[in-house]
PDB file of all heavy atoms in Angstrom:
ATOM      1  N   THR A 130      90.768  89.244 -31.587  1.00  0.00           N
ATOM      2  CA  THR A 130      91.497  88.075 -32.101  1.00  0.00           C
ATOM      3  C   THR A 130      92.655  87.671 -31.210  1.00  0.00           C
ATOM      4  O   THR A 130      93.173  86.564 -31.321  1.00  0.00           O
ATOM      5  CB  THR A 130      92.033  88.366 -33.516  1.00  0.00           C
ATOM      6  OG1 THR A 130      92.891  89.511 -33.453  1.00  0.00           O
ATOM      7  CG2 THR A 130      90.880  88.652 -34.475  1.00  0.00           C
ATOM      8  N   VAL A 131      93.069  88.553 -30.338  1.00  0.00           N
ATOM      9  CA  VAL A 131      94.171  88.264 -29.414  1.00  0.00           C
ATOM     10  C   VAL A 131      93.707  88.563 -27.985  1.00  0.00           C
ATOM     11  O   VAL A 131      93.110  89.626 -27.722  1.00  0.00           O
ATOM     12  CB  VAL A 131      95.421  89.100 -29.758  1.00  0.00           C
ATOM     13  CG1 VAL A 131      96.508  88.852 -28.725  1.00  0.00           C
ATOM     14  CG2 VAL A 131      95.928  88.770 -31.148  1.00  0.00           C
ATOM     15  N   LEU A 132      93.959  87.632 -27.082  1.00  0.00           N
ATOM     16  CA  LEU A 132      93.560  87.769 -25.660  1.00  0.00           C
ATOM     17  C   LEU A 132      94.807  87.649 -24.791  1.00  0.00           C
ATOM     18  O   LEU A 132      95.570  86.685 -24.941  1.00  0.00           O
ATOM     19  CB  LEU A 132      92.546  86.694 -25.308  1.00  0.00           C
ATOM     20  CG  LEU A 132      92.002  86.651 -23.868  1.00  0.00           C
ATOM     21  CD1 LEU A 132      90.555  86.181 -23.879  1.00  0.00           C
ATOM     22  CD2 LEU A 132      92.843  85.706 -23.011  1.00  0.00           C
ATOM     23  N   LEU A 133      94.993  88.618 -23.905  1.00  0.00           N
ATOM     24  CA  LEU A 133      96.111  88.587 -22.956  1.00  0.00           C
ATOM     25  C   LEU A 133      95.548  88.553 -21.540  1.00  0.00           C
ATOM     26  O   LEU A 133      94.718  89.405 -21.179  1.00  0.00           O
ATOM     27  CB  LEU A 133      97.019  89.797 -23.123  1.00  0.00           C
ATOM     28  CG  LEU A 133      98.272  89.820 -22.223  1.00  0.00           C
ATOM     29  CD1 LEU A 133      99.450  90.410 -22.960  1.00  0.00           C
ATOM     30  CD2 LEU A 133      98.020  90.643 -20.955  1.00  0.00           C
ATOM     31  N   ALA A 134      95.979  87.581 -20.745  1.00  0.00           N
ATOM     32  CA  ALA A 134      95.511  87.435 -19.349  1.00  0.00           C
ATOM     33  C   ALA A 134      96.718  87.442 -18.406  1.00  0.00           C
ATOM     34  O   ALA A 134      97.695  86.728 -18.646  1.00  0.00           O
ATOM     35  CB  ALA A 134      94.719  86.153 -19.188  1.00  0.00           C
ATOM     36  N   VAL A 135      96.626  88.257 -17.387  1.00  0.00           N
ATOM     37  CA  VAL A 135      97.665  88.353 -16.355  1.00  0.00           C
ATOM     38  C   VAL A 135      97.083  87.825 -15.035  1.00  0.00           C
ATOM     39  O   VAL A 135      96.002  88.260 -14.622  1.00  0.00           O
ATOM     40  CB  VAL A 135      98.164  89.796 -16.180  1.00  0.00           C
ATOM     41  CG1 VAL A 135      99.279  89.849 -15.143  1.00  0.00           C
ATOM     42  CG2 VAL A 135      98.654  90.355 -17.503  1.00  0.00           C
ATOM     43  N   ALA A 136      97.800  86.925 -14.380  1.00  0.00           N
ATOM     44  CA  ALA A 136      97.310  86.301 -13.141  1.00  0.00           C
ATOM     45  C   ALA A 136      98.235  86.633 -11.969  1.00  0.00           C
ATOM     46  O   ALA A 136      99.459  86.660 -12.112  1.00  0.00           O
ATOM     47  CB  ALA A 136      97.212  84.789 -13.321  1.00  0.00           C
ATOM     48  N   GLU A 137      97.614  86.862 -10.808  1.00  0.00           N
ATOM     49  CA  GLU A 137      98.348  87.105  -9.552  1.00  0.00           C
ATOM     50  C   GLU A 137      97.883  86.080  -8.519  1.00  0.00           C
ATOM     51  O   GLU A 137      96.674  85.949  -8.275  1.00  0.00           O
ATOM     52  CB  GLU A 137      98.087  88.509  -9.034  1.00  0.00           C
ATOM     53  CG  GLU A 137      98.794  88.797  -7.726  1.00  0.00           C
ATOM     54  CD  GLU A 137      98.349  90.130  -7.115  1.00  0.00           C
ATOM     55  OE1 GLU A 137      97.422  90.755  -7.655  1.00  0.00           O
ATOM     56  OE2 GLU A 137      98.941  90.514  -6.085  1.00  0.00           O
ATOM     57  N   PRO A 138      98.777  85.340  -7.867  1.00  0.00           N
ATOM     58  CA  PRO A 138      98.349  84.371  -6.847  1.00  0.00           C
ATOM     59  C   PRO A 138      97.674  85.086  -5.667  1.00  0.00           C
ATOM     60  O   PRO A 138      98.179  86.091  -5.154  1.00  0.00           O
ATOM     61  CB  PRO A 138      99.656  83.705  -6.406  1.00  0.00           C
ATOM     62  CG  PRO A 138     100.613  83.959  -7.524  1.00  0.00           C
ATOM     63  CD  PRO A 138     100.226  85.294  -8.097  1.00  0.00           C
ATOM     64  N   LEU A 139      96.542  84.558  -5.216  1.00  0.00           N
ATOM     65  CA  LEU A 139      95.841  85.155  -4.061  1.00  0.00           C
ATOM     66  C   LEU A 139      96.633  84.991  -2.771  1.00  0.00           C
ATOM     67  O   LEU A 139      96.461  85.771  -1.836  1.00  0.00           O
ATOM     68  CB  LEU A 139      94.455  84.510  -3.912  1.00  0.00           C
ATOM     69  CG  LEU A 139      93.444  84.834  -5.031  1.00  0.00           C
ATOM     70  CD1 LEU A 139      92.133  84.112  -4.769  1.00  0.00           C
ATOM     71  CD2 LEU A 139      93.212  86.335  -5.124  1.00  0.00           C
ATOM     72  N   VAL A 140      97.494  83.977  -2.712  1.00  0.00           N
ATOM     73  CA  VAL A 140      98.278  83.772  -1.503  1.00  0.00           C
ATOM     74  C   VAL A 140      99.188  84.953  -1.231  1.00  0.00           C
ATOM     75  O   VAL A 140      99.476  85.295  -0.070  1.00  0.00           O
ATOM     76  CB  VAL A 140      99.092  82.459  -1.604  1.00  0.00           C
ATOM     77  CG1 VAL A 140     100.152  82.541  -2.710  1.00  0.00           C
ATOM     78  CG2 VAL A 140      99.733  82.104  -0.276  1.00  0.00           C
ATOM     79  N   GLU A 141      99.651  85.619  -2.318  1.00  0.00           N
ATOM     80  CA  GLU A 141     100.481  86.799  -2.126  1.00  0.00           C
ATOM     81  C   GLU A 141      99.683  87.929  -1.488  1.00  0.00           C
ATOM     82  O   GLU A 141     100.180  88.659  -0.630  1.00  0.00           O
ATOM     83  CB  GLU A 141     101.068  87.239  -3.463  1.00  0.00           C
ATOM     84  CG  GLU A 141     102.068  86.254  -4.057  1.00  0.00           C
ATOM     85  CD  GLU A 141     103.271  86.072  -3.168  1.00  0.00           C
ATOM     86  OE1 GLU A 141     103.629  87.040  -2.453  1.00  0.00           O
ATOM     87  OE2 GLU A 141     103.863  84.984  -3.171  1.00  0.00           O
ATOM     88  N   ARG A 142      98.445  88.057  -1.942  1.00  0.00           N
ATOM     89  CA  ARG A 142      97.600  89.092  -1.330  1.00  0.00           C
ATOM     90  C   ARG A 142      97.342  88.773   0.148  1.00  0.00           C
ATOM     91  O   ARG A 142      97.279  89.675   0.981  1.00  0.00           O
ATOM     92  CB  ARG A 142      96.276  89.207  -2.076  1.00  0.00           C
ATOM     93  CG  ARG A 142      96.423  89.736  -3.487  1.00  0.00           C
ATOM     94  CD  ARG A 142      95.099  90.211  -4.014  1.00  0.00           C
ATOM     95  NE  ARG A 142      95.227  90.727  -5.377  1.00  0.00           N
ATOM     96  CZ  ARG A 142      94.261  91.369  -6.019  1.00  0.00           C
ATOM     97  NH1 ARG A 142      93.087  91.558  -5.428  1.00  0.00           N
ATOM     98  NH2 ARG A 142      94.444  91.799  -7.261  1.00  0.00           N
ATOM     99  N   ARG A 143      97.194  87.482   0.454  1.00  0.00           N
ATOM    100  CA  ARG A 143      96.970  87.107   1.860  1.00  0.00           C
ATOM    101  C   ARG A 143      98.197  87.434   2.699  1.00  0.00           C
ATOM    102  O   ARG A 143      98.088  87.874   3.840  1.00  0.00           O
ATOM    103  CB  ARG A 143      96.636  85.625   1.954  1.00  0.00           C
ATOM    104  CG  ARG A 143      95.323  85.237   1.282  1.00  0.00           C
ATOM    105  CD  ARG A 143      94.905  83.827   1.671  1.00  0.00           C
ATOM    106  NE  ARG A 143      93.750  83.393   0.909  1.00  0.00           N
ATOM    107  CZ  ARG A 143      93.804  82.597  -0.158  1.00  0.00           C
ATOM    108  NH1 ARG A 143      94.980  82.148  -0.583  1.00  0.00           N
ATOM    109  NH2 ARG A 143      92.695  82.259  -0.777  1.00  0.00           N
ATOM    110  N   HIS A 144      99.394  87.215   2.117  1.00  0.00           N
ATOM    111  CA  HIS A 144     100.618  87.552   2.845  1.00  0.00           C
ATOM    112  C   HIS A 144     100.689  89.050   3.112  1.00  0.00           C
ATOM    113  O   HIS A 144     101.056  89.488   4.219  1.00  0.00           O
ATOM    114  CB  HIS A 144     101.843  87.101   2.050  1.00  0.00           C
ATOM    115  CG  HIS A 144     102.027  85.628   2.031  1.00  0.00           C
ATOM    116  ND1 HIS A 144     102.872  84.987   1.149  1.00  0.00           N
ATOM    117  CD2 HIS A 144     101.470  84.638   2.790  1.00  0.00           C
ATOM    118  CE1 HIS A 144     102.830  83.688   1.363  1.00  0.00           C
ATOM    119  NE2 HIS A 144     101.972  83.445   2.347  1.00  0.00           N
ATOM    120  N   VAL A 145     100.340  89.831   2.098  1.00  0.00           N
ATOM    121  CA  VAL A 145     100.337  91.284   2.277  1.00  0.00           C
ATOM    122  C   VAL A 145      99.309  91.681   3.332  1.00  0.00           C
ATOM    123  O   VAL A 145      99.567  92.542   4.189  1.00  0.00           O
ATOM    124  CB  VAL A 145     100.061  91.983   0.930  1.00  0.00           C
ATOM    125  CG1 VAL A 145      99.895  93.488   1.140  1.00  0.00           C
ATOM    126  CG2 VAL A 145     101.177  91.710  -0.051  1.00  0.00           C
ATOM    127  N   SER A 146      98.129  91.054   3.295  1.00  0.00           N
ATOM    128  CA  SER A 146      97.082  91.367   4.283  1.00  0.00           C
ATOM    129  C   SER A 146      97.524  90.995   5.691  1.00  0.00           C
ATOM    130  O   SER A 146      97.255  91.715   6.662  1.00  0.00           O
ATOM    131  CB  SER A 146      95.785  90.622   3.927  1.00  0.00           C
ATOM    132  OG  SER A 146      95.314  91.009   2.660  1.00  0.00           O
ATOM    133  N   THR A 147      98.232  89.850   5.809  1.00  0.00           N
ATOM    134  CA  THR A 147      98.717  89.431   7.126  1.00  0.00           C
ATOM    135  C   THR A 147      99.725  90.426   7.684  1.00  0.00           C
ATOM    136  O   THR A 147      99.675  90.799   8.863  1.00  0.00           O
ATOM    137  CB  THR A 147      99.347  88.035   7.042  1.00  0.00           C
ATOM    138  OG1 THR A 147      98.372  87.106   6.551  1.00  0.00           O
ATOM    139  CG2 THR A 147      99.849  87.581   8.403  1.00  0.00           C
ATOM    140  N   ARG A 148     100.663  90.849   6.818  1.00  0.00           N
ATOM    141  CA  ARG A 148     101.644  91.835   7.272  1.00  0.00           C
ATOM    142  C   ARG A 148     100.973  93.151   7.646  1.00  0.00           C
ATOM    143  O   ARG A 148     101.352  93.819   8.618  1.00  0.00           O
ATOM    144  CB  ARG A 148     102.704  92.054   6.186  1.00  0.00           C
ATOM    145  CG  ARG A 148     103.629  90.862   5.997  1.00  0.00           C
ATOM    146  CD  ARG A 148     104.847  91.238   5.168  1.00  0.00           C
ATOM    147  NE  ARG A 148     104.474  91.605   3.815  1.00  0.00           N
ATOM    148  CZ  ARG A 148     104.400  90.759   2.794  1.00  0.00           C
ATOM    149  NH1 ARG A 148     104.646  89.464   2.994  1.00  0.00           N
ATOM    150  NH2 ARG A 148     104.082  91.179   1.583  1.00  0.00           N
ATOM    151  N   ALA A 149      99.965  93.530   6.857  1.00  0.00           N
ATOM    152  CA  ALA A 149      99.229  94.757   7.177  1.00  0.00           C
ATOM    153  C   ALA A 149      98.472  94.616   8.499  1.00  0.00           C
ATOM    154  O   ALA A 149      98.414  95.552   9.310  1.00  0.00           O
ATOM    155  CB  ALA A 149      98.254  95.095   6.047  1.00  0.00           C
ATOM    156  N   ALA A 150      97.896  93.406   8.726  1.00  0.00           N
ATOM    157  CA  ALA A 150      97.174  93.184   9.996  1.00  0.00           C
ATOM    158  C   ALA A 150      98.115  93.275  11.186  1.00  0.00           C
ATOM    159  O   ALA A 150      97.791  93.876  12.220  1.00  0.00           O
ATOM    160  CB  ALA A 150      96.480  91.823   9.959  1.00  0.00           C
ATOM    161  N   LEU A 151      99.303  92.667  11.028  1.00  0.00           N
ATOM    162  CA  LEU A 151     100.281  92.754  12.123  1.00  0.00           C
ATOM    163  C   LEU A 151     100.718  94.197  12.354  1.00  0.00           C
ATOM    164  O   LEU A 151     100.933  94.618  13.506  1.00  0.00           O
ATOM    165  CB  LEU A 151     101.497  91.893  11.793  1.00  0.00           C
ATOM    166  CG  LEU A 151     101.263  90.374  11.806  1.00  0.00           C
ATOM    167  CD1 LEU A 151     102.522  89.637  11.375  1.00  0.00           C
ATOM    168  CD2 LEU A 151     100.817  89.914  13.186  1.00  0.00           C
ATOM    169  N   ALA A 152     100.850  94.952  11.251  1.00  0.00           N
ATOM    170  CA  ALA A 152     101.228  96.356  11.401  1.00  0.00           C
ATOM    171  C   ALA A 152     100.156  97.148  12.142  1.00  0.00           C
ATOM    172  O   ALA A 152     100.455  98.142  12.814  1.00  0.00           O
ATOM    173  CB  ALA A 152     101.474  96.976  10.025  1.00  0.00           C
ATOM    174  N   VAL A 153      98.896  96.704  12.036  1.00  0.00           N
ATOM    175  CA  VAL A 153      97.804  97.374  12.765  1.00  0.00           C
ATOM    176  C   VAL A 153      97.717  96.872  14.199  1.00  0.00           C
ATOM    177  O   VAL A 153      97.535  97.646  15.144  1.00  0.00           O
ATOM    178  CB  VAL A 153      96.461  97.165  12.029  1.00  0.00           C
ATOM    179  CG1 VAL A 153      95.301  97.678  12.872  1.00  0.00           C
ATOM    180  CG2 VAL A 153      96.482  97.853  10.673  1.00  0.00           C
ATOM    181  N   ILE A 154      97.864  95.538  14.391  1.00  0.00           N
ATOM    182  CA  ILE A 154      97.631  94.935  15.707  1.00  0.00           C
ATOM    183  C   ILE A 154      98.749  95.266  16.695  1.00  0.00           C
ATOM    184  O   ILE A 154      98.487  95.543  17.879  1.00  0.00           O
ATOM    185  CB  ILE A 154      97.486  93.407  15.559  1.00  0.00           C
ATOM    186  CG1 ILE A 154      96.182  93.089  14.823  1.00  0.00           C
ATOM    187  CG2 ILE A 154      97.508  92.732  16.927  1.00  0.00           C
ATOM    188  CD1 ILE A 154      96.006  91.614  14.528  1.00  0.00           C
ATOM    189  N   GLU A 155      99.997  95.238  16.263  1.00  0.00           N
ATOM    190  CA  GLU A 155     101.110  95.447  17.191  1.00  0.00           C
ATOM    191  C   GLU A 155     101.023  96.786  17.918  1.00  0.00           C
ATOM    192  O   GLU A 155     101.079  96.837  19.154  1.00  0.00           O
ATOM    193  CB  GLU A 155     102.428  95.307  16.439  1.00  0.00           C
ATOM    194  CG  GLU A 155     102.738  93.863  16.065  1.00  0.00           C
ATOM    195  CD  GLU A 155     104.002  93.750  15.227  1.00  0.00           C
ATOM    196  OE1 GLU A 155     104.570  94.822  14.867  1.00  0.00           O
ATOM    197  OE2 GLU A 155     104.423  92.626  14.919  1.00  0.00           O
ATOM    198  N   PRO A 156     100.881  97.921  17.220  1.00  0.00           N
ATOM    199  CA  PRO A 156     100.720  99.184  17.967  1.00  0.00           C
ATOM    200  C   PRO A 156      99.421  99.244  18.746  1.00  0.00           C
ATOM    201  O   PRO A 156      99.337  99.901  19.783  1.00  0.00           O
ATOM    202  CB  PRO A 156     100.773 100.264  16.876  1.00  0.00           C
ATOM    203  CG  PRO A 156     100.416  99.563  15.621  1.00  0.00           C
ATOM    204  CD  PRO A 156     100.932  98.167  15.761  1.00  0.00           C
ATOM    205  N   LEU A 157      98.405  98.509  18.246  1.00  0.00           N
ATOM    206  CA  LEU A 157      97.127  98.498  18.958  1.00  0.00           C
ATOM    207  C   LEU A 157      97.255  97.794  20.304  1.00  0.00           C
ATOM    208  O   LEU A 157      96.692  98.236  21.312  1.00  0.00           O
ATOM    209  CB  LEU A 157      96.064  97.810  18.098  1.00  0.00           C
ATOM    210  CG  LEU A 157      94.615  97.914  18.576  1.00  0.00           C
ATOM    211  CD1 LEU A 157      94.184  99.370  18.618  1.00  0.00           C
ATOM    212  CD2 LEU A 157      93.696  97.122  17.665  1.00  0.00           C
ATOM    213  N   LEU A 158      98.021  96.692  20.330  1.00  0.00           N
ATOM    214  CA  LEU A 158      98.241  95.993  21.597  1.00  0.00           C
ATOM    215  C   LEU A 158      99.007  96.862  22.582  1.00  0.00           C
ATOM    216  O   LEU A 158      98.714  96.877  23.788  1.00  0.00           O
ATOM    217  CB  LEU A 158      99.001  94.691  21.338  1.00  0.00           C
ATOM    218  CG  LEU A 158      98.230  93.601  20.580  1.00  0.00           C
ATOM    219  CD1 LEU A 158      99.128  92.400  20.325  1.00  0.00           C
ATOM    220  CD2 LEU A 158      96.986  93.188  21.350  1.00  0.00           C
ATOM    221  N   VAL A 159     100.005  97.580  22.084  1.00  0.00           N
ATOM    222  CA  VAL A 159     100.747  98.502  22.952  1.00  0.00           C
ATOM    223  C   VAL A 159      99.812  99.587  23.481  1.00  0.00           C
ATOM    224  O   VAL A 159      99.855  99.959  24.664  1.00  0.00           O
ATOM    225  CB  VAL A 159     101.933  99.118  22.181  1.00  0.00           C
ATOM    226  CG1 VAL A 159     102.643 100.164  23.049  1.00  0.00           C
ATOM    227  CG2 VAL A 159     102.909  98.031  21.765  1.00  0.00           C
ATOM    228  N   LEU A 160      98.948 100.098  22.584  1.00  0.00           N
ATOM    229  CA  LEU A 160      97.987 101.121  23.004  1.00  0.00           C
ATOM    230  C   LEU A 160      97.045 100.593  24.079  1.00  0.00           C
ATOM    231  O   LEU A 160      96.756 101.280  25.063  1.00  0.00           O
ATOM    232  CB  LEU A 160      97.196 101.606  21.791  1.00  0.00           C
ATOM    233  CG  LEU A 160      96.068 102.607  22.073  1.00  0.00           C
ATOM    234  CD1 LEU A 160      96.640 103.899  22.633  1.00  0.00           C
ATOM    235  CD2 LEU A 160      95.265 102.881  20.813  1.00  0.00           C
ATOM    236  N   ILE A 161      96.580  99.344  23.912  1.00  0.00           N
ATOM    237  CA  ILE A 161      95.672  98.758  24.902  1.00  0.00           C
ATOM    238  C   ILE A 161      96.385  98.597  26.236  1.00  0.00           C
ATOM    239  O   ILE A 161      95.819  98.891  27.308  1.00  0.00           O
ATOM    240  CB  ILE A 161      95.140  97.401  24.398  1.00  0.00           C
ATOM    241  CG1 ILE A 161      94.202  97.610  23.200  1.00  0.00           C
ATOM    242  CG2 ILE A 161      94.410  96.650  25.513  1.00  0.00           C
ATOM    243  CD1 ILE A 161      93.728  96.316  22.583  1.00  0.00           C
ATOM    244  N   LEU A 162      97.647  98.129  26.196  1.00  0.00           N
ATOM    245  CA  LEU A 162      98.402  97.943  27.443  1.00  0.00           C
ATOM    246  C   LEU A 162      98.564  99.269  28.192  1.00  0.00           C
ATOM    247  O   LEU A 162      98.268  99.354  29.390  1.00  0.00           O
ATOM    248  CB  LEU A 162      99.768  97.345  27.121  1.00  0.00           C
ATOM    249  CG  LEU A 162     100.701  97.133  28.322  1.00  0.00           C
ATOM    250  CD1 LEU A 162     100.072  96.175  29.321  1.00  0.00           C
ATOM    251  CD2 LEU A 162     102.055  96.619  27.868  1.00  0.00           C
ATOM    252  N   PHE A 163      99.023 100.288  27.482  1.00  0.00           N
ATOM    253  CA  PHE A 163      99.174 101.590  28.131  1.00  0.00           C
ATOM    254  C   PHE A 163      97.813 102.152  28.530  1.00  0.00           C
ATOM    255  O   PHE A 163      97.690 102.852  29.538  1.00  0.00           O
ATOM    256  CB  PHE A 163      99.903 102.560  27.192  1.00  0.00           C
ATOM    257  CG  PHE A 163     101.387 102.372  27.174  1.00  0.00           C
ATOM    258  CD1 PHE A 163     101.997 101.680  26.140  1.00  0.00           C
ATOM    259  CD2 PHE A 163     102.186 102.868  28.193  1.00  0.00           C
ATOM    260  CE1 PHE A 163     103.368 101.495  26.118  1.00  0.00           C
ATOM    261  CE2 PHE A 163     103.561 102.689  28.181  1.00  0.00           C
ATOM    262  CZ  PHE A 163     104.160 101.995  27.138  1.00  0.00           C
ATOM    263  N   GLY A 164      96.791 101.840  27.733  1.00  0.00           N
ATOM    264  CA  GLY A 164      95.446 102.308  28.079  1.00  0.00           C
ATOM    265  C   GLY A 164      94.932 101.701  29.365  1.00  0.00           C
ATOM    266  O   GLY A 164      94.291 102.376  30.186  1.00  0.00           O
ATOM    267  N   LEU A 165      95.237 100.396  29.577  1.00  0.00           N
ATOM    268  CA  LEU A 165      94.813  99.742  30.822  1.00  0.00           C
ATOM    269  C   LEU A 165      95.499 100.368  32.029  1.00  0.00           C
ATOM    270  O   LEU A 165      94.860 100.640  33.052  1.00  0.00           O
ATOM    271  CB  LEU A 165      95.126  98.241  30.747  1.00  0.00           C
ATOM    272  CG  LEU A 165      94.367  97.431  29.690  1.00  0.00           C
ATOM    273  CD1 LEU A 165      94.829  95.982  29.718  1.00  0.00           C
ATOM    274  CD2 LEU A 165      92.875  97.516  29.916  1.00  0.00           C
TER     275      LEU A 165
END
Side-chain angles (χ1 to χ4, degrees):
T130 59
V131 176
L132 180 147
L133 183 143
V135 182
E137 179 189 6
L139 292 179
V140 66
E141 293 298 330
R142 293 197 180 189
R143 295 192 187 100
H144 288 165
V145 173
S146 299
T147 301
R148 290 194 295 269
L151 291 176
V153 172
I154 291 175
E155 288 176 355
L157 190 61
L158 291 177
V159 176
L160 176 64
I161 291 175
L162 178 61
F163 280 101
L165 295 178

